[in-house]
Amino acid sequence: MDERELTARARVGDEAAGRALYDAHVDRVYWLAYRMSGRQDLAQDFTQDTFIRAFSRLHEFRGDSAFGSWLHTIAMSVILNGLRKTKR
């Protein structure tokens, strides 16, 4: 099943499709968060927050770009905001 079909199915509540999207991208998001934070605990938190935000906003995903690119944008926002909060 391709990513477009997975996102369409996840959008209507298919948990298996959501899990497939998560499994396909979780390592990439985690390693991005780990490289930027340098801490395993923060990387895990940022990864979880990224997927929570992405799945809650899946209805906004238009499909103009790859799901991974859209998710990367969300991850960068979550990580940078999270790092700002931890440095206070």
Side-chain angles (χ1 to χ4, degrees):
M1 186 175 320
D2 72 343
E3 222 168 58
R4 285 188 188 276
E5 188 174 340
L6 284 174
T7 54
R9 289 177 58 186
R11 190 177 292 140
V12 295
D14 184 338
E15 291 181 19
R19 182 64 190 203
L21 287 170
Y22 174 85
D23 289 342
H25 296 281
V26 67
D27 290 338
R28 181 174 167 223
V29 171
Y30 172 82
W31 287 111
L32 174 65
Y34 183 76
R35 282 192 312 270
M36 292 184 71
S37 69
R39 291 178 43 191
Q40 185 178 10
D41 61 330
L42 287 178
Q44 291 170 340
D45 289 345
F46 295 156
T47 300
Q48 181 179 12
D49 292 346
T50 296
F51 280 98
I52 289 170
R53 184 176 296 175
F55 285 120
S56 71
R57 294 182 178 179
L58 195 56
H59 64 280
E60 296 174 11
F61 177 65
R62 295 185 314 243
D64 295 339
S65 62
F67 178 79
S69 299
W70 181 73
L71 187 63
H72 181 83
T73 303
I74 293 172
M76 288 297 294
S77 175
V78 166
I79 294 163
L80 290 173
N81 288 333
L83 288 174
R84 282 187 205 107
K85 288 177 185 177
T86 61
K87 291 186 181 194
R88 287 185 193 167

